[in-house]
Amino acid sequence: MNIRKNALAALTGMAVGLGMTVGAMAASWDMPTPYPDKTFHTQNIAIFAEDVAKATGGEVTIKIHSAGSLFKHPEIKNAVRGGQVPIGEFFVSLLSNEQAVFGADSQPFLATNYDEAKKLWDAQRPIITTLLDKEGLMPLFSVPWPPQGLYTKKAINTVDDLKGIKFRAYNATLELFANKIGAAPTQVEVPDIPQAFATSQVEAMITSPSTGANSKAWDFVTHYTDIQAWLPKNIVVVSKKAFRKLDEKTQQAILTAAKAAEDRGWEMSKKETSEQTAILKENGIIVVTPSAELMAGLKEIGASMLESWKKDAGLEGAELLKAYGVK
Ligand code: PCA
């Protein structure tokens, strides 16, 4: 035996001694996520991680790095794609700069309740799966945020009331929407919202009751206008390379846990809508039903955005809208 063979024999002996079989070493997965721990998405992922550990008998353990602590939100997708981490979560519509079809769920007033959001996801899933597959990624599950509403420092009765307001945005579509209503958008990640308001970098935002309540919006705005403009989604993706390293039983266990996480996540999201809106109220925010005039103005802008999105989204966009049932 030469030295190398000796070393290998020793290592194999060690592995066997530790109760492992070579080739089936336990995988420990670092998972970057963009949102804080108290976010229902993060909590859902924590249950997913527990389920995976249990179902795989500890073969796969997932360590969550929340609130952009391991990778900043805009870098998470490429971190999984590049193999720096095997799994990660991000906001689906952030990828609309690569392909417009990823931005469907953030088109204003295209899908405005959970039934429509579900139908849209059913239409979007096969298209997204194909596109991500080309990049070596596989979607595991996707969960919507509650319907998006308008947070401001005064009552908003018409689109004109929003003119010139410094507006927080979280993706390119919302930035465009803000521009179209005459506001001045700035991109701000969720963990930075309180600071952005405190320093007057922004003075209004569109987001869910969850993110509003989690950010203690009552510290910096007075009105929440319940415009239910769209239900954007987060997605959890795994690197196909990392997934393929697992034996079939382990793979199946992860897919089963992912399916459960998707179902549970949608239910959590629905529950959040009323619970977190109540928390906004309890903390003194004036929760307003939007005026017909405001809604008409916003919907008109949404309709024009959808027309240009159709052009950008090309064949995939047409396929998606057809499956969704909109021409
Ligand atoms: N919260 C996230 C995305 C949508 C939402 O409700 C945010 O505000 O960035």
Side-chain angles (χ1 to χ4, degrees):
M1 258 192 209
N2 63 27
I3 292 174
R4 215 187 269 177
K5 272 194 187 149
N6 268 335
L8 187 65
L11 271 176
T12 310
M14 249 167 67
V16 171
L18 287 169
M20 295 186 271
T21 49
V22 178
M25 303 256 273
S28 163
W29 284 0
D30 286 306
M31 176 171 188
T33 74
Y35 303 102
D37 288 337
K38 66 180 174 189
T39 312
F40 77 94
H41 287 279
T42 318
Q43 290 166 350
N44 187 34
I45 288 171
I47 302 173
F48 167 72
E50 277 170 27
D51 284 354
V52 166
K54 249 186 260 155
T56 65
E59 207 55 52
V60 178
T61 51
I62 296 173
K63 181 165 172 26
I64 301 165
H65 301 267
S66 59
S69 56
L70 185 59
F71 286 98
K72 294 265 166 255
H73 191 183
E75 296 161 9
I76 293 179
K77 182 226 160 192
N78 281 336
V80 186
R81 188 184 174 199
Q84 284 130 295
V85 284
I87 187 168
E89 180 202 31
F90 54 86
F91 197 49
V92 182
S93 55
L94 277 195
L95 304 192
S96 66
N97 58 349
E98 299 172 17
Q99 297 263 0
V101 74
F102 284 110
D105 66 18
S106 294
Q107 292 308 307
F109 306 105
L110 180 59
T112 60
N113 57 48
Y114 284 95
D115 286 346
E116 290 175 0
K118 179 69 176 54
K119 228 170 121 199
L120 188 68
W121 174 226
D122 287 344
Q124 204 181 15
R125 187 200 288 267
I127 300 168
I128 285 189
T129 302
T130 305
L131 290 173
L132 290 178
D133 184 75
K134 289 183 189 148
E135 302 196 62
L137 302 172
M138 184 173 83
L140 283 179
F141 58 93
S142 182
V143 172
W145 291 88
Q148 304 288 291
L150 178 60
Y151 293 79
T152 53
K153 290 174 186 280
K154 60 173 187 185
I156 302 293
N157 295 308
T158 68
V159 173
D160 266 0
D161 294 340
L162 291 162
K163 283 228 155 51
I165 288 184
K166 288 186 277 180
F167 216 87
R168 181 240 165 188
Y170 52 56
N171 66 12
T173 314
L174 180 49
E175 193 170 323
L176 182 63
F177 191 61
N179 276 321
K180 293 216 174 218
I181 57 185
T186 306
Q187 297 285 340
V188 178
E189 288 293 333
V190 167
D192 305 325
I193 290 176
Q195 172 79 356
F197 275 93
T199 57
S200 300
Q201 202 193 347
V202 296
E203 48 196 358
M205 64 181 172
I206 287 181
T207 187
S208 56
S210 306
T211 298
N214 289 349
S215 312
K216 297 193 171 22
W218 45 87
D219 287 346
F220 44 80
V221 297
T222 51
H223 289 69
Y224 175 70
T225 309
D226 189 15
I227 57 173
Q228 304 181 13
W230 60 88
L231 287 79
K233 295 183 299 289
N234 290 356
I235 193 165
V236 170
V237 303
V238 66
S239 132
K240 288 200 297 174
K241 201 168 158 205
F243 192 72
R244 273 200 223 106
K245 282 190 191 145
L246 307 170
D247 62 45
E248 218 181 304
K249 211 173 127 223
T250 308
Q251 291 182 353
Q252 202 45 56
I254 291 177
L255 295 179
T256 304
K259 169 78 176 74
E262 181 155 310
D263 294 346
R264 181 177 58 240
W266 282 69
E267 287 312 312
M268 288 171 95
S269 181
K270 285 178 200 168
K271 228 169 126 228
E272 284 274 308
T273 308
S274 48
E275 283 179 6
Q276 301 294 344
T277 306
I279 290 177
L280 293 176
K281 254 190 215 161
E282 275 160 32
N283 285 281
I285 290 202
I286 304 163
V287 176
V288 187
T289 304
S291 73
E293 199 182 342
L294 174 64
M295 286 308 279
L298 294 176
K299 283 186 175 169
E300 196 181 316
I301 294 166
S304 82
M305 283 176 64
L306 187 61
E307 284 315 305
S308 48
W309 178 82
K310 280 184 195 168
K311 290 191 193 109
D312 297 343
L315 283 179
E316 277 115 355
E319 187 188 331
L320 184 149
L321 288 182
K322 195 170 158 225
Y324 179 55
V326 169
K327 272 189 218 133

